[in-house]
Amino acid sequence: MHAPKRTVALATAALTLGGLFAAGAGPAAAAPAKASVSKPAAATSAVNTVGAADLSAQARRCDWPRVCFYRGNTYKAAYKDWGYQLLGPRGRSSNVIVNSRYDDGARIYLMRHNGTGRHWECAKPRRVYSVRPGWKPYAINIRNSPSCR
């Protein structure tokens, strides 16, 4: 049996997202640099959810079961295997991340452009995120948990 279209579900999920990712929030200063990779506090989020208008265009181009990376509206890379993977140069240059998976979260590992400060964000299933200025993704860990545990 084929899965239903995801565009409406993705838009609904993005609009109801709360907590760590603030929908429509502008770029904010991140926490001071840390030596280890850790889960950030809400105030240090390096990604935002993308609004419903931008969501449908991205969601149509990211086939299930992938986590796709875009630079603006330009497709760069996609990952579908579970586990930790370093991003290639195309994925590292992205600023939009789409998780088209139905029930698997993806830890997106990010670092500041100047190389200081590293942490991860949870890209929950069926959602679209934008990377805040000053940050870049460098690895992904697709997990069998919607909350990235």
Side-chain angles (χ1 to χ4, degrees):
M1 181 177 224
H2 292 289
K5 294 286 184 184
R6 298 178 300 283
T7 305
V8 173
L10 286 169
T12 303
L15 292 175
T16 60
L17 181 62
L20 182 60
F21 305 109
K34 295 181 182 178
S36 64
V37 177
S38 63
K39 182 73 176 117
T44 63
S45 177
V47 298
N48 293 319
T49 57
V50 174
D54 298 325
L55 179 72
S56 61
Q58 302 291 358
R60 280 192 299 256
R61 292 183 283 174
C62 187
D63 294 331
W64 174 86
R66 291 173 171 72
V67 178
C68 300
F69 292 79
Y70 295 87
R71 180 82 185 156
N73 287 323
T74 305
Y75 171 85
K76 292 294 184 176
Y79 296 83
K80 68 177 185 175
D81 296 330
W82 281 350
Y84 183 89
Q85 303 164 71
L86 290 174
L87 300 180
R90 293 173 54 119
R92 287 191 307 264
S93 70
S94 64
N95 63 0
V96 176
I97 301 164
V98 179
N99 184 354
S100 71
R101 300 175 77 96
Y102 295 139
D103 55 1
D104 300 325
R107 284 186 181 182
I108 307 297
Y109 293 87
L110 301 121
M111 74 170 78
R112 290 187 186 201
H113 282 289
N114 63 8
T116 63
R118 295 176 183 240
H119 71 265
W120 62 269
E121 302 278 351
C122 181
K124 294 187 178 182
R126 297 179 276 181
R127 298 202 179 134
V128 178
Y129 301 93
S130 65
V131 178
R132 289 188 179 191
W135 291 91
K136 64 181 177 180
Y138 68 90
I140 184 173
N141 187 351
I142 298 174
R143 304 176 65 89
N144 190 16
S145 165
S147 60
C148 300
R149 293 177 196 227

